[in-house]
Structure formats: C-alpha cells, structure tokens
Amino acid sequence: MTGVPAQRPIGVAVLGHGTVGAEVVRIIRDDALDLQARIGAPLEIRGVAVRTVSPERGVPVELLTTDAESLVTRDDVDIVVELIGGIELPRKLVRAALDAGKSVVTANKALLAANTGELAEAAEARNADLYFEAAVAGAIPVIRPLTQSLAGDRVDRVIGIVNGTTNFILSAMDETGADYAETLAEASRLGYAEADPTADVEGYDAASKAAILASIAFHTRVSASDVYREGITHITAADLTSARALNCTVKLLAICERVTGPDGRDRVSARVYPALVPREHPLASVSGAFNAVVVEAESSGRLMFYGQGAGGAPTASAVMGDVVMAARNRVQGGRGPRESKYAKLEIAPMSDIITRYYVNLQVADRAGVLSAVAAEFATRGVSISAVRQEGAGNGARLVVLTHQATDRALSDTVAALDKLESVTAVTSVLRLEGSAE
Amino acid sequence: MTGVPAQRPIGVAVLGHGTVGAEVVRIIRDDALDLQARIGAPLEIRGVAVRTVSPERGVPVELLTTDAESLVTRDDVDIVVELIGGIELPRKLVRAALDAGKSVVTANKALLAANTGELAEAAEARNADLYFEAAVAGAIPVIRPLTQSLAGDRVDRVIGIVNGTTNFILSAMDETGADYAETLAEASRLGYAEADPTADVEGYDAASKAAILASIAFHTRVSASDVYREGITHITAADLTSARALNCTVKLLAICERVTGPDGRDRVSARVYPALVPREHPLASVSGAFNAVVVEAESSGRLMFYGQGAGGAPTASAVMGDVVMAARNRVQGGRGPRESKYAKLEIAPMSDIITRYYVNLQVADRAGVLSAVAAEFATRGVSISAVRQEGAGNGARLVVLTHQATDRALSDTVAALDKLESVTAVTSVLRLEGSAE
C-alpha cells in the first residue's frame, strides 16, 4: 500500500463476550499490526455488548456496554460481529446493523437458517457484506470454497459431519460399546455436550447448517424447516455392534443433494439423520469432536475439508477471516459475493429420496419368518442386499440390508413389517449412506 | 439482481486449448445460463489462442487464433485465462494483459513461482485481479482459504502432497514393492507421468507450489529458487520396506513453515523432499494421484483439504471459480484480495531447519560397528531414537532413526559416517516428518 494515504480506522462492534467473543476481542487487540497490514487500515473495537458490565473480563471497561442496539448503529462502527446466540435478539440487532449499512459477521447458524432471505436482502439493499464462515464447521473453510472456489462448477452433493457433540458421542459409542445415555453423560462431563443437549442430539444444529450449505451449494433459499431431521437419541449400542459387523460405523450426517424431480427438473434435498457409513468412506474416520465436509461437484470431483468444528479459538479464526475480508472491502470499495438464489429449486420431499436401509427386527424363531419378511420388501419393490440372523428363540433377530429404494417404499415396508405376526418388534431402522450400490 | 439494468457481457480470452483449456471453453459454453446468473452478466469467449488453427477442436473456428498477443489486449476482453504452460511466453502475455487492465486467471505455477512479484505489481498498478487457485492442488480450494478464510489467523505450517505424479509413484511402490524405474514406467503407461517426467520427479513442480503457498501463508514473497528441493528418483524399494517396518510410508512433501531465526525473529522455510510419514498422519493415507494440504494455524488448529490435484476437469473447476469471481468483480466494481507481502520474512537456510533423519547404512558385520556409528551421532549432538540391524555378513545393514536435530548436524553426521571404515556405504538418507517427537 506504498503511497496510499493513511486509511481511517475500521470500527468493529462485537456482540457477545463468551468463548468466541473473548477470543475475537483478544485477536483484534493482540494481532493489531498484522491485521492492519492485511487490511490496509487499523481495526478498532468500538464496543463489546454484554448482558452485564463487569470489570474482570480482560477488556477495558469503557468498551463494555449493555446497549447493543445503540452500539450497532454508531457512526464509527463499520462491522458488527454477532456472537450472541438465540434468534430473536440477534435478528433484530443484525437487521438494524445491515439497515444502517454496516457489514455483519455472524457465527449464528440458527439465525441464518431461520432468516437467510430477510438478512440477505437487507445486506443487498445497503450493499453491505453478510459473512458467516463460522456458522458451519467452525474453523474449516466451507462457505467460502462453496461460494467462490466452486462458483464455476456444478455441485451435486455436500455431505458433512457438522456437529461435534453428536460425533463425539457416536465415536465414543463405537469405540467403547457403551450405550447412548452413558456416553452422553460422559460427553457432558468432558464439556462436549451442553447442559441441555437438545439442539445437538436432536439434530437441530446440524439441520441449520444443512440449510445454509444447501442454500449456497444450490443457489436456492433453503431454511431449517425445509430440512428433514432425525436425531441420535434412539441409537443403541446394538446398532453400533451391527454396524461394525457390516464394516460400517454410525455418523450423524448433514446431506445436501441435487436430485431429479418427477418432472425431470432438479430439486434440492436437505436432510440430517444418523446413518451407517462404510469404514472406507472418508467421513467414517472423522472421529471425536472433529468436523468434515465432503463436496462432490461435476468438474472438481470429490473434495474433503477437515478440521475443528467448534471451540472458541477455531470459531474465532473463521470469524476473523470474515472480519478481515469485510474490512478490506470497506477499505478498497466493493464487497464480497452476495446471496445467490437464482436457481430457486424446489425442495424434494423425503419420501422421494433414494437411500439404502438397515433394518433390525426381533422375530419369532420359526420356519417361514424370513420368507414372510422378504415378501414385504419384495411387494414394495425393495431389493434385499443381505440378511443375517442373530441369536435364536425369543431373542432371535434379523438384520436386513436393502439395496437403493425410495424412502417411501422403505418406510412403507417397515410399517408393514411392524404389523407382521412373526415380527415381535422393529428394533431399529437406519439409513446407509456413502456406499456404492 | 432485480431492477439492475442488463449488464454488458464479460469478455474472456483463453490462451491454450489443451485438456484444461478445452474443458474451460466447454464449461463457459455449456453452463452459460448458470454462469450468467452467478455473475450478473453473460460470459462471452472472445477468442482461444492456439498454436495452429484446426477445425476439429470443437470450438467455432472463428474463435481460434494464433495471435495471442493481440487477443489479450482486445478492448472487448475483460479476463485472460492463461493455460499455456512454460514461463517466457505466458509471462509476456500475462504481463501485457495486466498492463492493459485485464484480470488474469492462470494455472501456471512455474510462471507464478518465478515472477510473482512482477505480475502482482502489474495487477496492482491497474487494479486488476490476478487469480491462481488452479496453480496449486488442482480443484482443491487452497489459495482462497489461505488468503481469505485464514486472513485473521496466524499460519504456522502448510504441509502438502501437491504433486500427483510422484504421489502415484510412491503409493504404487508402497503397495507393490516394485522399484522406482519400474513404477515410473507403469505411471507413464497409465498417463500419470509425462514423457519427460523431470519437473515432477525432481520436485520442481512441487517446489513452485511450495513457493506460492509460502508466499500466501506468510505474507512474504517466496520464489521457486528460495525452496530447498530434492526429488524422488533415489527412492528405492528397500526404503519403502524400511519405512513400513517403522510404521511409516514415504511421501514427497511440500513444507512451508514459520521458524524462529537466531535473532529471535520469524523466518520462512520452504522445502520439498521425500520423507517418511507416520501411517497415522492424515497425509499418509492420501494415495494415488490425489493431493492434500494440511494447514496449521494458531487459532484454527489443523485443517486438511483433500481432492483431485490434477486433470482437465478438476483443474478447470478451479479456473472457472476464479473466472466467475473475476467477472463478478468486474460487474460489481472492486476486486479480490491483492498480494500481501508486508511481513517480508527472511528465508531460513535448510541447514537451520530442525527435522528427524532416517539413515540406512551398509556396514561391516563386526563388533564395535554400532558403537563407532553411534559416536558420530553423539559427537554432533544428534540423539538416536532407534537402531535396527538387518541382515548379517557383507549384507549387514543398520537402520538409524534420530530424534530432532538441525539439518546441519544431521548432514554433517551422515558425511562423517560415509568416511567411517566400518561403514561400507550410506545407502539411504530420508527425513521423517509429521511425528510427535
């Protein structure tokens, strides 16, 4: 920037001072010179909005404020970093910031998945940046590669492990053979699960991320309510044992897929559920609290992005990347890529989606059971890939693995099996993803 | 873009019509509507520069030209896509294009690693974009994550498998036990190695990519001549057998590292050599022609990017991502991030770098040999991690694995071993990377 006159500072407002917020404030203060050199102007914190002002936060007390609403519209604020969590309050603040022409960086997936259209339009109206790399998969660059690096390609599928809590639990269940409740308790004890783990274990968090990924990958607005969702609370130690016998493990997957509708036009499928994944699939070896996202596009082929999906420092890394980019845009003029929603693809209903099923049945141990069970699959056109009987007598179980069929045919089959006299109980039904057939 | 008046088309000149060029032209023509929606203006090919105009190229013959020089400065050209290869001719053309204010997209790592400063400055002077995602690791987004997503973080290390030919050869040697010459011949037969494989097997290609990665990661100009380089032509089947015995494999690595100089200031190390890599390291399982890049930064922790590093379609995916971004910048005003070289770190000499060594010695099978060998290590302060004797009599061999030491101490030790009377030959010396100690 030799010869360029000194630039006025870029003002930053930070909303929230939890793990991520504190780390963002630390980086802006500690790495000031580096950041200034990269941006071409100094970055200055104008204020940090907190619920209660207390002096021991390690931030000059005069920067702390409880009045977030005034902070986000201050004249000397250029960029608002939203790290509050929740939906209504941050929505109001982000909206006010965008309406005032501020650029916004947020890590709030729930907010984005609920209001992506409204906020994107507000940013558009004022030509401001709305960046959210940290909202999906923490430090792992996923949003930027999808919106920019793959902007000239045709994405067919995005499939990811995007929730660290559930991946920690499922990995631990796979390794130790312990059941769900016990492993969840251990995860809470170690700080990998929150006091109320619902958002994670019921798949809401992953569903928000799936909505964001699908929106970007397919240039179509997809909101959290468009995402089919199942959590992991019904996964048993027996499921993991069965998975192991099939050379698989169980992962909570967020799947965004381009599928063909009955009219021959492209549709978008976005779904979150625990699924069997073959051990040789790259996602099978992503263990513990790590995240990974696999992108399959027409020209690029299969790409994988792997790293830490949560935590203060990794999330702050993604936030700061966005802050630096938004600040550079302020200095140089111009802005980053806007929301791209031109494709406006329809959402495919889950029943149309083609998957494979793993079905675990408790059955009467007598002749003819297998034939009766197989008939229910055959009637609905579902082809069986493998059957295995485990145990005998009252504890006899059948494990059935199907070939690909529509989710409708598969769930109809399971409903019919449940009514069969020779089937004592349908113990478990899981989808199988990432296999060739 | 509702309400925005129709935009004038963005003109593209494509230089070269090989595998990548043909795929780029195909995508621009076949996906015209999608690209237009993403850019906000149509993309139009103004010409394709080729060596000889022939009608069977699948491109309207009136678009073909042998006059690249006139093409790149045409008034109706906004973006020049350079896919010629070589250094002098593309340098001249890219320079002319940038001087005329055109944005340039190139996949030419040799060009960039030789002339990064000159071309970056030419782009700067005319406020044009110079994009090169395809120059490193094909379709895998690496440049954009490093320049943008990690812009607010402090990168400590980038370590990658960035050459598909050598990775194919080393993977095959590991799997089959065949020797180098045989495997190279097989790679050529399968199209994984070029008729003259020198640039790949001697590490020149990887060194160019290391220079580009180091420049971006450390905000410092690093050129190919700053990169320490060894190729894989001396790797033997015996090395892979020894590696296997140590639970390692051998990979050609491009390593870019922030190291501390004797004055306590940060320096940059950029180096390319075949190294032993522990099987549990994420790069060990990257096999065949695939590429992967691991980035370690202060806040983000370890990230990995994986995918296809070469080939017409994957490389075209990366090129087209750059073309769409450059075109968007033209439509919206503004431009992408410029070269960042503010840090101006010094290059650390190889002799200062701290690594571990694997040394394979042919020795006389008599008492006192181990003690003599061990003494040479001890004298230079190099601590031995493990020693194994293989064979007996004239074929006796010692395999020594060291702890970390400076490359200077290690290479001095090897020189001294070579002069020892009881050492018949130093058969092989390889570094060990990616281990904990």
Side-chain angles (χ1 to χ4, degrees), chain A residues 34 153 304 317 328 337 342, chain B residues 34 38 153 306 317 328 337 342:
Chain A
D34 269 322
D153 207 335
M304 181 159 110
S317 168
R328 270 192 193 167
Y342 73 88
Chain B
D34 269 322
R38 294 175 197 173
D153 208 334
Y306 171 89
S317 169
R328 272 191 193 169
Y342 73 88

Side-chain angles (χ1 to χ4, degrees), chain A residues 55-110:
Chain A
E56 77 281 15
R57 289 179 177 269
V59 180
V61 75
E62 65 274 16
L63 286 179
L64 297 176
T65 173
T66 55
D67 185 3
E69 221 156 327
S70 305
L71 177 61
V72 301
T73 52
R74 264 173 62 165
D75 283 346
D76 59 355
V77 164
D78 299 279
I79 300 172
V80 172
V81 180
E82 186 277 303
L83 301 166
I84 305 182
I87 295 188
E88 243 344 279
L89 178 60
R91 193 201 61 75
K92 218 175 78 185
L93 294 169
V94 166
R95 182 62 200 266
L98 291 170
D99 286 345
K102 316 301 186 192
S103 290
V104 170
V105 174
T106 176
N108 191 330
K109 46 252 157 193

Side-chain angles (χ1 to χ4, degrees), chain A residues 20-212:
Chain A
V20 181
E23 190 62 18
V24 165
V25 169
R26 186 196 65 73
I27 293 172
I28 293 178
R29 293 162 57 92
D30 288 2
D31 299 347
L33 288 177
D34 269 322
L35 296 171
Q36 174 169 357
R38 294 175 197 174
I39 292 164
L43 215 51
E44 285 180 9
I45 297 178
R46 301 300 183 206
V48 179
V50 291
R51 223 169 298 174
T52 46
V53 171
S54 59
E56 77 281 15
R57 289 179 177 269
V59 180
V61 75
E62 65 274 16
L63 286 179
L64 297 176
T65 173
T66 55
D67 185 3
E69 221 156 327
S70 305
L71 177 61
V72 301
T73 52
R74 264 173 62 165
D75 283 346
D76 59 355
V77 164
D78 299 279
I79 300 172
V80 172
V81 180
E82 186 277 303
L83 301 166
I84 305 182
I87 295 188
E88 243 344 279
L89 178 60
R91 193 201 61 75
K92 218 175 78 185
L93 294 169
V94 166
R95 182 62 200 266
L98 291 170
D99 286 345
K102 316 301 186 192
S103 290
V104 170
V105 174
T106 176
N108 191 330
K109 46 252 157 193
L111 169 67
L112 291 164
N115 298 283
T116 172
E118 179 202 338
L119 300 179
E121 276 161 23
E124 192 72 11
R126 293 301 306 268
N127 212 31
D129 283 321
L130 173 61
Y131 281 150
F132 46 89
E133 182 65 81
V136 181
I140 313 170
V142 174
I143 304 299
R144 204 160 260 117
L146 276 172
T147 42
Q148 300 191 26
S149 309
L150 289 162
D153 207 335
R154 183 188 148 94
V155 176
D156 293 317
R157 185 178 291 111
V158 180
I159 168 166
I161 293 173
V162 293
N163 180 273
T165 303
T166 48
N167 201 52
F168 178 88
I169 293 172
L170 292 171
S171 299
M173 287 176 72
D174 190 28
E175 280 159 31
T176 64
D179 70 14
Y180 170 75
E182 191 183 335
T183 313
L184 172 62
E186 174 75 359
S188 305
R189 221 174 42 77
L190 295 171
Y192 287 111
E194 300 197 35
D196 176 1
T198 311
D200 293 316
V201 300
E202 295 293 359
Y204 291 101
D205 174 79
S208 291
K209 292 165 177 169
I212 295 169

Side-chain angles (χ1 to χ4, degrees), chain B residues 325-345:
Chain B
M325 294 316 296
R328 272 191 193 169
N329 290 343
R330 293 269 153 171
V331 171
Q332 302 180 7
R335 51 169 292 203
R338 23 194 112 202
E339 184 198 30
S340 172
K341 56 170 209 300
Y342 73 88
K344 296 190 175 59
L345 304 183

Side-chain angles (χ1 to χ4, degrees), chain B residues 357-405:
Chain B
Y357 262 32
Y358 143 92
V359 185
N360 200 323
L361 305 166
Q362 201 174 332
V363 293
D365 186 15
R366 61 168 186 251
V369 170
L370 178 56
S371 136
V373 165
E376 296 298 342
F377 283 91
T379 305
R380 287 159 190 89
V382 179
S383 162
I384 291 178
S385 158
V387 185
R388 210 180 59 246
Q389 174 157 359
E390 293 174 356
N394 280 339
R397 297 193 313 156
L398 273 185
V399 176
V400 181
L401 201 65
T402 76
H403 284 297
Q404 288 194 333

Side-chain angles (χ1 to χ4, degrees), chain B residues 76 84 89 264:
Chain B
D76 60 354
I84 304 181
L89 177 61

